[in-house]
Amino acid sequence: IIEHINQPFQLARTEAFIGTSVGIAVYPDDADSAEALLTYADTAMYRAKEKGRNTYAFYTDSITREADRKLQIANQLRRALARDELVLYFQPQIDLSSGVIVGAEALIRWQHPDEGLLTPNAFVSIAEERGLIHEISRWVISRGCQQLGQWQSQGFQLTVALNVSARDFSYDDFTDDIASIIELSDVDPGGLELELTESGIMENADSVLEALNEIRDMGINLSVDDFGTGYSSFSYLKYLPINKLKIDRSFIHDLESDSGDATIVSAVIDVGKNFGLRVVAEGVESAVQEQLL
Protein backbone atom coordinates (compact mmCIF):
# COMPACT_ATOMS: atom_id res chain seq x y z
CA ILE A 1 0.00 0.00 0.00
CA ILE A 2 2.72 2.46 1.00
CA GLU A 3 4.81 1.59 -2.07
CA HIS A 4 1.90 2.18 -4.44
CA ILE A 5 0.77 5.42 -2.80
CA ASN A 6 4.34 6.73 -2.92
CA GLN A 7 4.37 6.63 -6.72
CA PRO A 8 4.68 10.14 -8.24
CA PHE A 9 1.78 11.59 -10.21
CA GLN A 10 1.11 14.72 -12.24
CA LEU A 11 -0.76 17.59 -10.59
CA ALA A 12 -1.28 20.27 -13.19
CA ARG A 13 2.29 20.70 -14.52
CA THR A 14 4.00 19.58 -11.34
CA GLU A 15 5.12 16.12 -10.31
CA ALA A 16 3.60 15.43 -6.88
CA PHE A 17 4.07 12.80 -4.19
CA ILE A 18 1.89 11.55 -1.36
CA GLY A 19 3.08 9.66 1.69
CA THR A 20 0.97 7.51 3.97
CA SER A 21 1.07 6.22 7.52
CA VAL A 22 -0.65 2.88 8.16
CA GLY A 23 -1.94 1.55 11.45
CA ILE A 24 -2.78 -2.16 11.71
CA ALA A 25 -5.00 -4.01 14.17
CA VAL A 26 -5.50 -7.80 13.89
CA TYR A 27 -8.76 -9.72 14.37
CA PRO A 28 -9.37 -11.46 16.71
CA ASP A 29 -6.10 -11.08 18.64
CA ASP A 30 -6.47 -7.34 19.30
CA ALA A 31 -10.27 -7.05 19.30
CA ASP A 32 -13.36 -8.79 18.03
CA SER A 33 -15.53 -5.82 17.03
CA ALA A 34 -15.19 -3.52 14.03
CA GLU A 35 -15.38 -0.42 16.22
CA ALA A 36 -12.56 -1.56 18.51
CA LEU A 37 -10.40 -2.70 15.58
CA LEU A 38 -10.75 0.69 13.89
CA THR A 39 -9.92 2.48 17.13
CA TYR A 40 -6.82 0.37 17.68
CA ALA A 41 -5.74 0.71 14.05
CA ASP A 42 -6.11 4.48 14.37
CA THR A 43 -3.96 4.45 17.52
CA ALA A 44 -1.33 2.39 15.71
CA MET A 45 -1.39 4.87 12.81
CA TYR A 46 -0.27 7.65 15.15
CA ARG A 47 2.58 5.43 16.30
CA ALA A 48 3.58 5.10 12.62
CA LYS A 49 3.62 8.88 12.33
CA GLU A 50 5.78 9.13 15.43
CA LYS A 51 8.23 6.69 13.80
CA GLY A 52 8.82 9.21 11.02
CA ARG A 53 5.72 8.88 8.84
CA ASN A 54 5.41 7.01 5.55
CA THR A 55 5.64 3.70 7.40
CA TYR A 56 3.35 1.28 9.25
CA ALA A 57 2.88 0.10 12.82
CA PHE A 58 0.97 -2.76 14.44
CA TYR A 59 -1.22 -2.14 17.45
CA THR A 60 0.19 -3.37 20.76
CA ASP A 61 -0.96 -3.16 24.35
CA SER A 62 2.01 -0.90 25.07
CA ILE A 63 0.56 1.68 22.66
CA THR A 64 -2.62 1.82 24.73
CA ARG A 65 -0.61 2.10 27.95
CA GLU A 66 1.42 4.92 26.44
CA ALA A 67 -1.73 6.69 25.23
CA ASP A 68 -3.31 6.34 28.67
CA ARG A 69 -0.10 7.68 30.25
CA LYS A 70 -0.09 10.71 27.96
CA LEU A 71 -3.72 11.44 28.78
CA GLN A 72 -3.00 11.13 32.49
CA ILE A 73 0.02 13.45 32.27
CA ALA A 74 -1.95 16.01 30.24
CA ASN A 75 -4.78 16.08 32.78
CA GLN A 76 -2.35 16.35 35.69
CA LEU A 77 -0.40 19.06 33.88
CA ARG A 78 -3.49 21.22 33.62
CA ARG A 79 -3.91 20.94 37.40
CA ALA A 80 -0.18 21.53 37.91
CA LEU A 81 -0.45 24.97 36.33
CA ALA A 82 -3.36 25.85 38.60
CA ARG A 83 -1.64 24.43 41.70
CA ASP A 84 1.70 26.11 41.02
CA GLU A 85 3.59 22.80 40.87
CA LEU A 86 5.98 24.00 38.15
CA VAL A 87 9.30 25.50 39.21
CA LEU A 88 12.31 27.10 37.50
CA TYR A 89 15.92 26.18 38.27
CA PHE A 90 18.70 28.41 36.98
CA GLN A 91 21.91 27.10 35.44
CA PRO A 92 24.73 29.65 35.34
CA GLN A 93 26.36 30.81 32.13
CA ILE A 94 30.03 31.70 32.69
CA ASP A 95 32.38 33.84 30.60
CA LEU A 96 35.41 31.56 30.11
CA SER A 97 37.79 34.49 29.69
CA SER A 98 36.92 36.07 33.05
CA GLY A 99 35.22 33.30 35.04
CA VAL A 100 32.34 35.70 35.79
CA ILE A 101 28.70 34.57 35.73
CA VAL A 102 27.13 36.60 32.92
CA GLY A 103 23.77 34.88 32.63
CA ALA A 104 21.55 31.97 33.56
CA GLU A 105 19.37 29.54 31.68
CA ALA A 106 15.98 28.81 33.23
CA LEU A 107 15.25 25.09 33.39
CA ILE A 108 11.64 24.08 34.02
CA ARG A 109 10.84 21.22 36.39
CA TRP A 110 7.55 19.77 37.57
CA GLN A 111 7.28 19.03 41.26
CA HIS A 112 4.83 16.17 40.75
CA PRO A 113 2.90 15.31 43.92
CA ASP A 114 3.32 11.54 43.37
CA GLU A 115 6.35 11.09 41.10
CA GLY A 116 8.69 13.73 42.47
CA LEU A 117 10.73 16.15 40.39
CA LEU A 118 10.14 15.60 36.65
CA THR A 119 12.35 16.97 33.87
CA PRO A 120 10.92 18.41 30.61
CA ASN A 121 11.46 15.06 28.87
CA ALA A 122 8.55 13.69 30.89
CA PHE A 123 5.96 16.28 29.91
CA VAL A 124 6.92 18.94 27.33
CA SER A 125 6.25 16.80 24.22
CA ILE A 126 2.88 15.81 25.70
CA ALA A 127 2.12 19.48 26.40
CA GLU A 128 2.89 20.26 22.75
CA GLU A 129 0.65 17.44 21.49
CA ARG A 130 -2.25 18.43 23.77
CA GLY A 131 -2.10 22.18 23.14
CA LEU A 132 -0.83 23.06 26.63
CA ILE A 133 2.62 24.30 25.65
CA HIS A 134 1.56 27.90 25.04
CA GLU A 135 0.25 28.24 28.58
CA ILE A 136 3.42 26.68 29.96
CA SER A 137 5.63 28.99 27.89
CA ARG A 138 3.71 32.02 29.16
CA TRP A 139 4.30 30.79 32.70
CA VAL A 140 8.03 30.29 32.03
CA ILE A 141 8.40 33.77 30.53
CA SER A 142 6.45 35.36 33.39
CA ARG A 143 8.45 33.63 36.12
CA GLY A 144 11.71 34.21 34.28
CA CYS A 145 10.97 37.92 33.99
CA GLN A 146 10.13 38.08 37.71
CA GLN A 147 13.51 36.59 38.58
CA LEU A 148 15.30 38.82 36.06
CA GLY A 149 13.59 41.84 37.60
CA GLN A 150 14.80 40.87 41.08
CA TRP A 151 18.38 40.48 39.86
CA GLN A 152 18.27 43.75 37.93
CA SER A 153 16.94 45.60 40.99
CA GLN A 154 19.88 44.19 42.98
CA GLY A 155 22.34 45.58 40.46
CA PHE A 156 23.22 42.31 38.68
CA GLN A 157 23.67 42.69 34.92
CA LEU A 158 22.70 39.17 33.86
CA THR A 159 20.94 37.65 30.90
CA VAL A 160 18.16 35.16 31.64
CA ALA A 161 17.62 32.59 28.89
CA LEU A 162 14.17 31.03 28.55
CA ASN A 163 13.26 28.06 26.34
CA VAL A 164 10.19 28.43 24.15
CA SER A 165 8.59 25.97 21.76
CA ALA A 166 8.23 26.44 18.02
CA ARG A 167 4.55 25.63 18.60
CA ASP A 168 4.22 28.92 20.50
CA PHE A 169 4.60 30.82 17.24
CA SER A 170 1.41 29.31 15.87
CA TYR A 171 -0.49 31.53 18.33
CA ASP A 172 -1.15 35.00 16.92
CA ASP A 173 -0.98 36.62 20.35
CA PHE A 174 2.38 35.12 21.39
CA THR A 175 4.46 38.26 20.77
CA ASP A 176 1.74 40.39 22.40
CA ASP A 177 1.91 38.11 25.45
CA ILE A 178 5.67 38.60 25.68
CA ALA A 179 5.36 42.38 25.44
CA SER A 180 2.64 42.41 28.10
CA ILE A 181 4.66 40.23 30.50
CA ILE A 182 7.74 42.45 30.11
CA GLU A 183 5.68 45.56 30.79
CA LEU A 184 4.08 44.04 33.89
CA SER A 185 7.45 42.78 35.18
CA ASP A 186 9.13 46.15 34.53
CA VAL A 187 12.36 44.53 33.34
CA ASP A 188 14.96 45.65 30.84
CA PRO A 189 14.20 43.44 27.80
CA GLY A 190 17.90 43.50 26.92
CA GLY A 191 18.42 41.10 29.82
CA LEU A 192 15.99 38.57 28.36
CA GLU A 193 16.91 35.84 25.90
CA LEU A 194 14.53 33.39 24.20
CA GLU A 195 15.86 30.06 22.96
CA LEU A 196 14.53 27.95 20.10
CA THR A 197 15.88 24.67 18.77
CA GLU A 198 17.15 24.78 15.20
CA SER A 199 14.76 21.97 14.18
CA GLY A 200 11.84 24.01 15.52
CA ILE A 201 12.97 27.03 13.55
CA MET A 202 13.39 25.14 10.28
CA GLU A 203 10.07 23.32 10.53
CA ASN A 204 8.17 26.62 10.73
CA ALA A 205 10.68 29.00 9.16
CA ASP A 206 8.30 31.50 7.53
CA SER A 207 5.91 31.98 10.45
CA VAL A 208 8.73 31.95 12.99
CA LEU A 209 10.84 34.55 11.16
CA GLU A 210 8.20 37.27 11.31
CA ALA A 211 7.62 36.69 15.02
CA LEU A 212 11.36 36.58 15.76
CA ASN A 213 11.83 39.95 14.08
CA GLU A 214 9.03 41.39 16.25
CA ILE A 215 10.64 39.95 19.38
CA ARG A 216 14.06 41.25 18.37
CA ASP A 217 12.54 44.72 17.83
CA MET A 218 11.47 44.64 21.50
CA GLY A 219 15.17 44.46 22.44
CA ILE A 220 15.03 40.79 23.43
CA ASN A 221 17.97 38.54 22.55
CA LEU A 222 17.45 35.33 20.58
CA SER A 223 19.52 32.16 20.53
CA VAL A 224 19.54 28.84 18.67
CA ASP A 225 19.55 25.97 21.17
CA ASP A 226 21.13 22.54 20.57
CA PHE A 227 22.97 23.79 17.50
CA GLY A 228 24.48 20.97 15.47
CA THR A 229 21.91 18.30 16.35
CA GLY A 230 19.19 19.17 13.83
CA TYR A 231 19.22 20.54 10.32
CA SER A 232 22.44 22.54 10.83
CA SER A 233 21.74 24.61 7.73
CA PHE A 234 24.02 27.62 7.77
CA SER A 235 21.71 29.43 5.34
CA TYR A 236 19.22 30.43 8.03
CA LEU A 237 21.98 32.09 10.06
CA LYS A 238 22.09 34.78 7.36
CA TYR A 239 18.54 36.02 7.83
CA LEU A 240 17.45 35.05 11.35
CA PRO A 241 17.76 37.90 13.89
CA ILE A 242 19.69 35.79 16.41
CA ASN A 243 22.48 36.77 18.82
CA LYS A 244 23.79 33.45 20.02
CA LEU A 245 24.48 29.81 19.17
CA LYS A 246 24.37 27.13 21.85
CA ILE A 247 26.45 23.99 21.33
CA ASP A 248 24.53 20.93 22.46
CA ARG A 249 25.89 19.14 25.53
CA SER A 250 26.14 15.88 23.57
CA PHE A 251 29.18 17.34 21.80
CA ILE A 252 30.75 18.56 25.06
CA HIS A 253 30.40 15.34 27.06
CA ASP A 254 33.25 13.48 25.31
CA LEU A 255 35.11 16.54 24.09
CA GLU A 256 38.46 15.45 25.53
CA SER A 257 38.30 11.92 24.12
CA ASP A 258 36.32 12.17 20.88
CA SER A 259 38.14 13.92 18.05
CA GLY A 260 34.90 14.08 16.05
CA ASP A 261 33.16 16.03 18.79
CA ALA A 262 36.18 18.32 19.10
CA THR A 263 36.10 19.03 15.37
CA ILE A 264 32.37 19.78 15.42
CA VAL A 265 32.71 22.09 18.43
CA SER A 266 35.62 23.94 16.84
CA ALA A 267 33.65 24.36 13.61
CA VAL A 268 30.55 25.69 15.42
CA ILE A 269 32.67 28.20 17.34
CA ASP A 270 34.23 29.40 14.07
CA VAL A 271 30.79 29.68 12.44
CA GLY A 272 29.50 31.69 15.39
CA LYS A 273 32.45 34.07 15.31
CA ASN A 274 32.23 34.54 11.54
CA PHE A 275 28.55 35.44 11.83
CA GLY A 276 29.26 37.77 14.76
CA LEU A 277 27.36 35.61 17.26
CA ARG A 278 28.07 34.74 20.87
CA VAL A 279 28.64 31.02 21.45
CA VAL A 280 27.62 29.05 24.56
CA ALA A 281 28.73 25.49 25.31
CA GLU A 282 26.23 23.52 27.37
CA GLY A 283 27.10 20.98 30.04
CA VAL A 284 30.73 21.86 30.80
CA GLU A 285 31.54 19.61 33.78
CA SER A 286 35.33 19.29 33.91
CA ALA A 287 38.41 21.49 33.92
CA VAL A 288 39.70 19.71 30.80
CA GLN A 289 36.52 20.56 28.88
CA GLU A 290 36.82 24.17 30.01
CA GLN A 291 40.45 24.37 28.89
CA LEU A 292 39.69 22.87 25.48
CA LEU A 293 36.84 25.31 24.93
Side-chain angles (χ1 to χ4, degrees):
I1 292 172
I2 295 172
E3 183 179 342
H4 280 284
I5 291 180
N6 283 172
Q7 296 301 312
F9 61 94
Q10 289 297 125
L11 187 64
R13 297 179 181 179
T14 303
E15 188 176 50
F17 297 85
I18 287 180
T20 185
S21 299
V22 179
I24 305 166
V26 179
Y27 170 90
D29 297 347
D30 296 328
D32 58 6
S33 72
E35 182 180 10
L37 283 167
L38 284 171
T39 299
Y40 289 167
D42 189 55
T43 303
M45 178 197 65
Y46 283 104
R47 172 57 61 86
K49 289 184 176 183
E50 291 173 2
K51 289 167 61 178
R53 299 175 182 268
N54 211 40
T55 186
Y56 63 89
F58 282 90
Y59 171 81
T60 64
D61 288 339
S62 65
I63 292 179
T64 297
R65 289 195 297 270
E66 182 179 343
D68 290 343
R69 168 70 174 169
K70 287 183 176 180
L71 179 60
Q72 179 187 35
I73 288 291
N75 291 336
Q76 292 175 345
L77 199 50
R78 289 185 176 90
R79 292 194 293 268
L81 286 161
R83 296 173 180 175
D84 205 25
E85 293 173 0
L86 301 179
V87 63
L88 290 183
Y89 284 74
F90 292 90
Q91 177 171 271
Q93 295 179 339
I94 299 169
D95 186 334
L96 287 185
S97 62
S98 65
V100 174
I101 295 176
V102 294
E105 179 181 358
L107 306 174
I108 189 171
R109 298 291 184 266
W110 179 5
Q111 189 63 61
H112 195 284
D114 300 319
E115 301 183 29
L117 198 65
L118 300 180
T119 67
N121 291 338
F123 60 90
V124 166
S125 62
I126 297 172
E128 289 178 331
E129 289 177 13
R130 303 284 173 160
L132 296 171
I133 194 64
H134 190 41
E135 192 172 353
I136 291 175
S137 292
R138 278 199 303 248
W139 180 89
V140 167
I141 295 169
S142 179
R143 290 300 174 91
C145 283
Q146 288 177 20
Q147 182 61 72
L148 176 62
Q150 289 180 23
W151 283 333
Q152 287 179 346
S153 67
Q154 293 168 349
F156 295 111
Q157 297 303 311
L158 301 174
T159 299
V160 170
L162 307 170
N163 291 280
V164 293
S165 168
R167 301 282 181 93
D168 289 317
F169 294 91
S170 63
Y171 294 86
D172 295 334
D173 59 351
F174 183 54
T175 54
D176 293 335
D177 285 342
I178 295 172
S180 177
I181 291 170
I182 290 174
E183 184 177 358
L184 288 172
S185 304
D186 193 27
V187 298
D188 175 7
L192 192 63
E193 178 182 306
L194 297 185
E195 297 183 0
L196 282 119
T197 61
E198 61 173 321
S199 57
I201 292 172
M202 296 306 293
E203 287 171 6
N204 305 274
D206 293 335
S207 60
V208 168
L209 179 59
E210 182 179 354
L212 291 182
N213 282 316
E214 290 180 24
I215 292 170
R216 192 71 189 92
D217 289 341
M218 297 180 200
I220 298 170
N221 298 294
L222 296 165
S223 67
V224 178
D225 199 8
D226 300 342
F227 187 77
T229 61
Y231 293 87
S232 297
S233 172
F234 293 157
S235 62
Y236 72 83
L237 296 178
K238 295 190 299 182
Y239 60 83
L240 286 178
I242 59 176
N243 310 87
K244 187 180 293 183
L245 295 181
K246 298 188 69 181
I247 305 172
D248 187 68
R249 67 188 309 121
S250 63
F251 298 120
I252 304 299
H253 185 264
D254 297 319
L255 186 61
E256 62 265 48
S257 60
D258 190 318
S259 60
D261 283 347
T263 300
I264 291 172
V265 169
S266 180
V268 172
I269 293 171
D270 286 340
V271 167
K273 286 181 177 179
N274 290 333
F275 277 95
L277 306 173
R278 302 286 301 273
V279 180
V280 173
E282 296 181 316
V284 181
E285 297 179 345
S286 74
V288 175
Q289 292 170 347
E290 179 184 353
Q291 290 163 8
L292 287 170
L293 288 165

